[in-house]
Amino acid sequence: DDQVEQMKFLLAAQRANVPVVGYHLDIWWGLAREREVHTEPFFNVDLLITADGGHDAQWASIGANHVWFPPAVSAPEAVEGFPLDRYHSPLAFVGSHDGGYHAEHQHRHELIGWLRTNFRNTCRFFPEPGEPAVRGQDLQDLYASVGVIIGDSCFAGSGLANYWSDRIPETLGRGGYLIHPHVPGIEAHFEDGTHLQLWHAGDWGALGDLIEESLASSAKRREIRSAGREHVLANHTYEIRMKQLMELLAERGLIR
């Protein structure tokens, strides 16, 4: 049984006085998989780092030694790609768009439907049917080939603070121009209109206006692409996060 083996590993590490850190980018609270926080050994590590900074009380309720780290991008991946005809589109959405996303986050399904209706001739959706997720150099080239990327994060628009998808640093770090729904707390890390464009989830009129304005101004897109990428490289890479993690471990006496 995998869980038994995982618990054995945690006990062996504890006996050897070796701290175990869990690091994850996803969210559990409020989703069907929430039950896993009570059963999976992963949540019993000495220090739990996740990108979910909006559920402090819930993390405390299960005794998790939880610390929020915003998502980041690997610095070697944060490079600009090359425009390719196979990815060319004025507008695109990259991510789960085929109806299989979490039912608890209806905004994703509404967003995809709205884009298909209102920008059916200009918006492409990746990955395309039958294709795997777009990664690596292909993703860099995709962002270089698309004028405007529309993003989303689980529970955006719900009022949940301090959780956003890693698509923000992953897109900006590769030089993509991103329009993303506002999330409480994001303004402490990214500046609206400077690093990316934000709108309030559910305000479809505002999103439509922002898309049209963005498509009409290539100069502004270039400016925001450049500023967003520089900001991510300076503040939101995993190399920076690992330095922060080592400092946190030392601060808490988990390493010397």
Side-chain angles (χ1 to χ4, degrees), residues 166-241:
D166 65 339
R167 67 167 24 88
I168 292 182
E170 293 279 357
T171 303
L172 302 188
R174 290 174 170 84
Y177 177 93
L178 180 66
I179 298 178
H180 190 279
H182 176 266
V183 176
I186 197 171
E187 55 277 348
H189 298 269
F190 297 95
E191 185 175 340
D192 182 21
T194 298
H195 304 131
L196 76 172
Q197 298 278 22
L198 299 174
W199 100 96
H200 289 282
D203 189 344
W204 304 115
L207 176 57
D209 290 344
L210 192 51
I211 290 173
E212 296 289 2
E213 292 168 8
S214 297
L215 290 174
S217 179
S218 59
K220 184 174 182 179
R221 292 201 310 271
R222 284 195 299 271
E223 183 180 335
I224 291 178
R225 282 175 183 263
S226 178
R229 183 165 180 269
E230 288 179 10
H231 178 72
V232 164
L233 288 171
N235 299 279
H236 298 290
T237 67
Y238 284 115
E239 288 73 8
I240 292 170
R241 292 289 180 270

Side-chain angles (χ1 to χ4, degrees), residues 77-148:
E77 290 284 315
V79 297
E80 296 179 277
F82 302 93
L84 298 177
D85 288 343
R86 64 188 172 116
Y87 293 129
H88 175 72
S89 182
L91 185 65
F93 180 90
V94 182
S96 179
H97 60 83
D98 58 1
Y101 196 68
H102 302 294
E104 296 88 347
H105 180 54
Q106 279 301 304
H107 180 259
R108 171 66 59 86
H109 308 282
E110 294 169 2
L111 173 62
I112 298 303
W114 183 86
L115 287 170
R116 292 191 192 280
T117 298
N118 292 276
F119 289 89
R120 59 186 176 276
N121 296 321
T122 52
C123 188
R124 293 180 65 183
F125 299 85
F126 298 96
E128 294 184 320
E131 295 294 321
V134 185
R135 308 286 189 196
Q137 181 67 50
D138 288 336
L139 188 57
Q140 294 159 13
D141 293 342
L142 189 161
Y143 288 144
S145 307
V146 173
V148 175

Side-chain angles (χ1 to χ4, degrees), residues 49-82:
I49 307 289
T50 82
D52 177 7
H55 289 102
D56 289 348
Q58 289 88 338
W59 289 123
S61 74
I62 64 166
N65 186 15
H66 178 265
V67 175
W68 174 55
F69 274 20
V73 61
S74 174
E77 290 284 315
V79 297
E80 296 179 277
F82 302 93

